[in-house]
């Protein structure tokens, strides 16, 4: 399953009604074990005890022998827990004889919730472990996404509980977010741009920006990013990522190096909510139309070719920003001819739902783009947003929505 779609799937599961955070974890455990997409045969949730020396089994699902209720494992018997504290997710061999008798020989485990201080190293509040016929790298990445999504959800619940105390600051937060967004329209050396970002809540995790690269004024970066979260937590990370990009662009850093540094900063600063998808394209004033871009796990921007009336998708050139330290990001080059235009958008556009739960979808978006081929960048953006908003007006679930249209006009 695509990383971004997997994250959204888990996020939708966690939106189901639940009175406690443990119930949220149990809902996810049941859905993951039951779904053939995840390809696991059983799973367990372990909760750190108040003594911080043991984990207690609080839930189990799947076609495996049941572990006795209230069973605990000692932290000291599992050196692998120190690796989990550092890397969140591990693939491991079970060493507990009782669990091995239950048919658990190999497992993948991921940390969930806040990390607390243990006797020798930090420990997650919860561990979610899964058994499968094949314990491989795909399961590792799947669990990493699940752990991150659940941690973000639990953290958000705590923030939401505190939000009533912060109500007087909401207007200030919304105003602050507006400051990180540039003016909607921008012109640069034969290109015109127009962007709109609409948060699902008062503040959100989407943003776009136009960045002057270096001091010579001959290059411009256009970025659209989506923090995989909502509300205040997402806005805080968006502020940080936006500022880091502006600073990095000012030093004329190579694009691949800029993405790698940004990734490592996000990994270090946001240990609980560290997913960012991002598309960055750099324009030049030399009139050639050649542009360098990096797609870090983001939706593929839609490129409309004016001469051939055809569509190209600028696929991912690197992973999501944040999940893994020292990730590598490649760049690619695209040439924009006169009247070609690029629509860069976040998944709140393509995944917008109508009241029946049907997604707007990439195919519908592409057809709408084709209809608007003779419009200006401003008109394209505004009419696309308008169409999506009408489509999703009665939906129960929604997300931040951002579109930036970049058109070569000379």
């Amino acid at each position: 399953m695509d990383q971004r779609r997997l994250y959204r799937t888990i996020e939708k599961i966690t939106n189901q009604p639940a009175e406690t955070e443990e119930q949220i974890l149990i809902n996810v455990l049941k859905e993951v074990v039951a779904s053939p997409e995840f390809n696991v045969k059983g799973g367990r949730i372990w909760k750190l005890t108040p003594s911080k020396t043991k984990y207690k089994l609080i839930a189990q699902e799947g076609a495996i022998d049941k572990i006795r209720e209230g069973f605990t494992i000692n932290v000291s018997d599992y050196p692998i827990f120190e690796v989990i504290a550092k890397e969140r997710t591990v693939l491991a061999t079970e060493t507990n004889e009782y669990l091995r008798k239950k048919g658990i020989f190999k497992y993948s485990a991921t940390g969930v919730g806040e990390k607390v201080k243990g006797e020798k190293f930090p420990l997650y509040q919860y561990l979610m472990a899964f058994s499968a016929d094949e314990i491989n790298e795909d399961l590792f990445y799947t669990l990493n996404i699940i752990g991150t999504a659940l941690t973000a959800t639990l953290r958000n619940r705590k923030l939401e509980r505190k939000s009533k105390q912060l109500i007087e600051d909401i207007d200030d937060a919304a105003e602050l977010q507006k400051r990180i967004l540039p003016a909607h329209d921008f012109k640069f050396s034969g290109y015109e741009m127009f962007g709109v970002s609409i948060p699902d809540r008062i503040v959100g995790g989407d943003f776009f920006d136009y960045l002057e690269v270096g001091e010579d004024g001959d290059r411009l970066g256009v970025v659209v990013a989506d923090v995989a979260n909502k509300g205040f937590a997402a806005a805080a990370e968006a502020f940080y990522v936006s500022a880091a990009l502006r600073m990095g662009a000012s030093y004329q850093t190579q694009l691949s190096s800029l993405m790698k540094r940004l990734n490592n900063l996000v990994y270090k600063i946001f240990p609980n909510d560290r997913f960012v998808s991002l598309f960055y394209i750099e324009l030049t004033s030399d009139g050639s139309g050649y542009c360098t871009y990096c797609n870090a796990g983001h939706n593929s921007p839609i490129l409309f070719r004016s001469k051939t009336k055809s569509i190209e998708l600028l696929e991912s050139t690197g992973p999501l920003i944040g999940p893994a330290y020292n990730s590598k990001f490649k760049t690619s080059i695209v040439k924009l001819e006169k009247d070609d235009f690029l629509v860069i958008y976040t998944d709140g556009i393509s995944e917008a739902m109508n009241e029946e739960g049907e997604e707007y979808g990439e195919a519908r978006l592409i057809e709408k783009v084709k209809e608007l081929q003779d419009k200006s960048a401003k008109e394209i953006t505004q009419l696309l947003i308008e169409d999506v908003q009408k489509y999703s007006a009665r939906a129960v679930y929604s997300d931040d929505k951002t579109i930036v249209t970049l058109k070569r006009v000379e």
Side-chain angles (χ1 to χ4, degrees):
M1 186 183 291
D2 174 79
Q3 289 185 18
R4 190 73 187 177
R5 183 165 287 275
L6 169 61
Y7 188 96
R8 290 303 184 198
T9 299
I10 298 301
E11 189 178 52
K12 288 172 185 177
I13 296 172
T14 61
N15 282 332
Q16 298 174 3
E19 293 185 2
T20 66
E21 61 183 25
E22 290 181 15
Q23 188 59 53
I24 291 175
L25 269 62
I26 292 170
N27 288 346
V28 171
L29 178 67
K30 289 179 177 178
E31 292 281 354
V32 170
V33 173
S35 173
E37 288 187 283
F38 293 100
N39 197 30
V40 298
K41 63 181 182 180
R44 301 159 294 286
I45 300 173
W46 302 85
K47 183 177 182 180
L48 188 65
T49 62
S51 68
K52 301 175 186 175
T53 59
K54 298 176 182 288
Y55 277 97
K56 180 180 178 181
L57 181 72
I58 62 170
Q60 55 186 318
E61 292 287 333
I64 54 176
D65 287 345
K66 295 299 180 185
I67 302 167
R68 66 173 176 265
E69 188 175 344
F71 184 74
T72 60
I73 53 177
N74 295 317
V75 171
S76 59
D77 293 339
Y78 286 81
I80 196 73
F81 288 169
E82 185 172 4
V83 179
I84 293 177
K86 295 177 180 178
E87 301 181 7
R88 185 187 291 279
T89 302
V90 297
L91 307 178
T93 300
E94 183 56 68
T95 56
N96 183 284
E97 285 302 318
Y98 172 76
L99 295 179
R100 290 178 65 86
K101 288 179 181 178
K102 293 295 181 179
I104 303 171
F105 300 103
K106 290 185 179 294
Y107 64 90
S108 184
T110 189
V112 175
E114 294 181 357
K115 283 191 282 191
V116 298
K117 186 177 180 181
E119 289 185 352
K120 296 182 178 180
F121 47 81
L123 298 164
Y124 278 99
Q125 288 175 290
Y126 300 94
L127 296 178
M128 187 172 280
F130 290 94
S131 303
D133 291 329
E134 186 177 359
I135 302 294
N136 55 28
E137 193 175 69
D138 286 342
L139 182 59
F140 174 87
Y141 284 116
T142 295
L143 276 198
N144 212 20
I145 301 290
I146 290 172
T148 302
L150 281 172
T151 296
T153 296
L154 299 188
R155 184 167 178 263
N156 265 0
R157 279 174 65 92
K158 291 183 179 180
L159 289 174
E160 294 292 345
R161 287 197 294 266
K162 294 177 181 179
S163 64
K164 292 181 180 179
Q165 304 170 13
L166 302 173
I167 193 68
E168 65 274 10
D169 295 331
I170 288 179
D171 288 340
D172 290 340
E175 183 62 32
L176 181 58
Q177 180 151 54
K178 289 179 183 177
R179 292 176 189 170
I180 74 167
L181 296 175
H184 294 294
D185 58 336
F186 196 89
K187 289 180 170 56
F188 172 80
S189 189
Y191 298 94
E192 64 176 24
M193 292 139 261
F194 194 91
V196 172
S197 187
I198 304 173
D200 179 51
R201 302 180 185 176
I202 293 172
V203 291
D206 282 9
F207 74 89
F208 69 93
D209 208 350
Y210 311 126
L211 308 171
E212 293 186 7
V213 180
E215 299 178 353
D216 298 330
D218 58 350
R219 289 188 288 162
L220 181 79
V222 180
V223 60
V224 173
D226 181 1
V227 175
N229 208 330
K230 286 188 178 183
F232 291 103
E237 190 166 352
F239 297 155
Y240 181 88
V241 173
S242 173
L245 279 170
R246 289 181 182 183
M247 182 173 293
S250 68
Y251 287 109
Q252 294 185 300
T253 308
Q254 284 189 343
L255 187 49
S256 56
S257 297
L258 176 61
M259 293 299 105
K260 182 177 180 179
R261 291 179 183 179
L262 179 64
N263 174 79
N264 290 349
L265 284 170
V266 171
Y267 180 90
K268 290 179 179 179
I269 301 299
F270 295 94
N272 292 318
D273 309 289
R274 53 193 183 202
F275 273 97
V276 182
S277 72
L278 182 149
F279 182 84
Y280 185 113
I281 186 166
E282 192 169 282
L283 316 177
T284 65
S285 61
D286 62 7
S288 68
Y290 285 105
C291 308
T292 304
Y293 69 89
C294 177
N295 185 339
H298 198 74
N299 302 87
S300 301
I302 300 168
L303 173 58
F304 180 83
R305 293 294 191 185
S306 179
K307 287 183 179 179
T308 59
K309 311 299 180 187
S310 61
I311 292 290
E312 296 177 17
L313 300 179
L314 303 191
E315 304 285 357
S316 176
T317 63
L320 292 165
I321 288 176
Y325 193 71
N326 273 342
S327 292
K328 294 181 180 180
F329 298 86
K330 296 180 181 179
T331 60
S332 191
I333 295 174
V334 63
K335 184 176 182 180
L336 299 183
E337 304 286 356
K338 186 177 182 297
D339 294 325
D340 288 352
F341 65 89
L342 185 66
V343 175
I344 314 167
Y345 64 97
T346 59
D347 56 15
I349 299 295
S350 56
E351 296 179 12
M353 293 183 181
N354 61 16
E355 56 189 328
E356 281 79 36
E358 300 166 333
E359 290 187 354
Y360 188 86
E362 185 182 79
R364 181 187 177 106
L365 181 59
I366 288 173
E367 288 306 309
K368 192 66 179 177
V369 166
K370 290 179 179 178
E371 291 177 17
L372 302 174
Q373 60 185 267
D374 296 323
K375 303 293 185 182
S376 67
K378 178 178 180 179
E379 290 171 320
I380 293 169
T381 296
Q382 291 179 331
L383 290 170
L384 287 175
I385 284 284
E386 180 182 313
D387 194 55
V388 172
Q389 292 288 68
K390 286 180 179 178
Y391 183 86
S392 60
R394 296 183 180 180
V396 175
Y397 177 83
S398 62
D399 196 7
D400 306 330
K401 298 177 179 69
T402 299
I403 294 179
V404 173
T405 301
L406 162 64
K407 188 168 189 176
R408 186 176 181 190
V409 293
E410 295 178 10

